[in-house]
Amino acid sequence: MKICTIVGARPQFIKAAVVSRALANVPSCVEIIIHTGQHYDPNMSDIFFDEMEIPKPAYNLGVGGGTHGQNTGRMIEGIEAIFLKEQPDFVLVYGDTDSTLAGALAAVKLHIPVAHVEAGLRSFNRKMPEEINRVLTDHASDILFVPTKTAKKNLLDEGISGEHVQIVGDVMLDAARFYGRKAEEESNILKRHSLHKSGYILATIHRAENTNDGDRMRSIFKGFSACNDEIILPIHPRTQKMISNLGLAVPGNVRVIDPVGYLDMVALEKNAMLIATDSGGVQKEAYFHEVPCITLRDETEWVELVDAGANILVGADSEKISVALSSKHCGDDVFSGELYGDGDAAGKIVSYLSAGL
Ligand code: UD1
Ligand code: UDP
């Protein structure tokens, strides 16, 4: 069985890491990793392959830094040529980025079956590029691995149901458990930055709806500045560029650091008193590591976190942000549920794929 895996952006390296590890144990399975190049800085790409021991991509298309149309178009062209050469039995795509959609479209047009990991997520906000990518990828996919019952229901509402929709749990839980142990042994980021357990808030911001809107960014920073605690912000290159372009002032209590590798990120998450983020993955990781989370968005795909009381939506409202940052909004009891499966999503995905073939 030959599988071509498409990755390109940071969260996809993390998701693919655990599935690739499981695929490597299947005799007669060959996985060919195609990196689109969507993320290309060493600390947005190479560091994950190195420290998570992901097999090196067989191909890197070097497509990144363009507009959505440029990136997606160039990726489809490059991926199609590789599929024609490699003739895979299956294509595996992850999440909701431009790389995901490009991989799915290139495959279906060549009649190669597509399996989508993290299918069925919806924000119901069609202005998000990710929402368009998810919907189109789901409708082009032959096998849909969904993390939750809500995701399965979202697909059903769009007419996608049947045995090819499989609830497997969330591969990010597998990653949090497997690499979480490694992070405890290997990360010294707290020491490097003179941080103490529960002595800081961790924040990430990169979502287009925030970074592309100066008013929202100013309002988020106003909310941050009203808080008495120090906020550590590993900064996404996109956010760094927008701060410079818009001439935004970063509040004095916000310490901006370069993007960090996964092991350091897990260590920062586990030891934070609270996490403030607009990232999809970081919202779930806050839950896995039992840290209260506030989400700097108006809606979330991960609605079960809000329902459980582990996460609250504050948008870019400075008042809501400052109030939420100053109060620990949930107790430890909210983290007891198994919202995202049992931590063996990768095993289930690989069993299903090998049985089908
Ligand atoms: C992308 C995904 C988003 C995901 C995020 C994860 C899409 C539409 N969006 O958003 O769903 O949450 O990745 O981080 O696919 N840049 C660099 N160096 C890099 C990577 C990016 O400088 O290594 C800068 C470039 O200016 C680039 C910009 O960031 O143009 C945006 O990058 P892009 O990959 O298009 O979108 P993200 O915001 O990273
Ligand atoms: N992450 C990381 N280093 C950072 C910021 C994030 O390793 O400096 C990890 C984070 O732990 C999570 C993933 O990147 O596993 C989330 O990616 P991102 O927020 O870029 O994208 P999203 O999940 O929103 O698509």
Side-chain angles (χ1 to χ4, degrees):
M1 153 166 94
K2 191 190 259 190
I3 295 186
C4 277
T5 295
I6 310 295
V7 292
R10 175 167 67 187
Q12 294 169 327
F13 311 139
I14 292 155
K15 290 165 198 171
V18 287
V19 178
S20 290
R21 193 169 279 280
L23 281 174
N25 292 326
V26 180
S28 80
C29 171
V30 177
E31 186 191 26
I32 294 173
I33 298 181
I34 303 173
H35 188 327
T36 62
Q38 181 171 347
H39 286 177
Y40 46 87
D41 291 344
N43 57 10
M44 294 293 288
S45 177
D46 291 355
I47 192 170
F48 298 96
F49 287 86
D50 293 343
E51 69 177 20
M52 300 178 90
E53 297 170 321
I54 307 168
K56 288 268 170 287
Y59 300 89
N60 189 322
L61 299 174
V63 176
T67 64
H68 293 296
Q70 287 168 340
N71 284 349
T72 313
R74 288 174 189 155
M75 286 173 195
I76 293 174
E77 194 180 354
I79 294 169
E80 182 183 59
I82 298 169
F83 287 168
L84 286 169
K85 182 174 158 221
E86 295 288 353
Q87 299 285 324
D89 298 301
F90 256 104
V91 168
L92 205 47
V93 296
Y94 292 87
D96 54 19
T97 73
D98 291 341
S99 301
T100 315
L101 179 61
L105 286 180
V108 284
K109 301 245 174 159
L110 294 174
H111 308 157
I112 305 167
V114 180
H116 184 201
V117 177
E118 209 180 71
L121 272 294
R122 295 292 181 268
S123 65
F124 302 102
N125 175 359
R126 290 268 175 142
K127 289 207 172 121
M128 281 181 82
E130 293 86 354
E131 184 75 353
I132 305 298
N133 291 342
R134 290 178 195 127
V135 171
L136 297 180
T137 301
D138 284 342
H139 284 259
S141 293
D142 300 275
I143 301 172
L144 299 102
F145 293 116
V146 298
T148 61
K149 283 186 193 148
T150 310
K152 187 174 182 181
K153 163 87 172 47
N154 289 339
L155 292 178
L156 183 64
D157 291 348
E158 292 174 17
I160 303 174
S161 64
E163 225 261 309
H164 64 303
V165 180
Q166 290 282 317
I167 300 192
V168 291
D170 199 312
V171 288
M172 292 194 88
L173 176 58
D174 303 20
R177 291 208 179 145
F178 185 84
Y179 295 99
R181 288 188 288 274
K182 214 164 144 55
E184 261 165 33
E185 287 158 20
E186 294 179 22
S187 171
N188 62 0
I189 190 156
L190 263 58
K191 202 167 161 202
R192 285 197 328 264
H193 289 282
S194 306
L195 296 168
H196 301 285
K197 184 161 181 60
S198 303
Y200 62 93
I201 290 167
L202 175 68
T204 76
I205 308 169
H206 75 277
R207 200 59 62 190
E209 73 213 47
N210 287 326
T211 54
N212 288 357
D213 184 334
D215 289 340
R216 281 183 75 98
M217 285 300 291
R218 270 184 281 274
S219 184
I220 290 171
F221 280 161
K222 189 173 168 201
F224 281 4
S225 69
C227 154
N228 291 324
D229 295 296
E230 184 173 33
I231 299 177
I232 305 299
L233 178 67
I235 200 148
H236 190 291
R238 166 192 202 110
T239 315
Q240 181 70 71
K241 283 178 193 162
M242 292 314 281
I243 287 174
S244 308
N245 292 351
L246 297 169
L248 298 176
V250 178
N253 63 329
V254 174
R255 197 185 328 171
V256 173
I257 61 173
D258 286 338
V260 297
Y262 186 69
L263 301 184
D264 282 344
M265 187 64 181
V266 169
L268 284 174
E269 289 172 341
K270 278 189 171 185
N271 291 289
M273 69 172 85
L274 186 138
I275 294 176
T277 188
D278 60 9
S279 157
V282 176
Q283 288 174 59
K284 286 178 290 172
E285 287 167 355
Y287 181 80
F288 302 152
H289 302 307
E290 306 194 356
V291 178
C293 183
I294 70 167
T295 294
L296 307 163
R297 289 181 50 197
D298 300 324
E299 73 277 311
T300 179
E301 300 77 21
W302 305 104
V303 287
E304 48 287 316
L305 295 173
V306 178
D307 294 343
N311 186 6
I312 49 175
L313 292 175
V314 291
D317 183 319
S318 57
E319 185 60 31
K320 282 190 190 163
I321 293 170
S322 67
V323 170
L325 289 180
S326 307
S327 63
K328 193 181 176 214
H329 62 81
C330 63
D332 293 343
D333 52 319
V334 304
F335 301 109
S336 57
E338 275 205 351
L339 299 180
Y340 297 104
D342 61 5
D344 187 29
K348 293 184 181 63
I349 289 169
V350 170
S351 300
Y352 186 87
L353 289 178
S354 354
L357 291 165

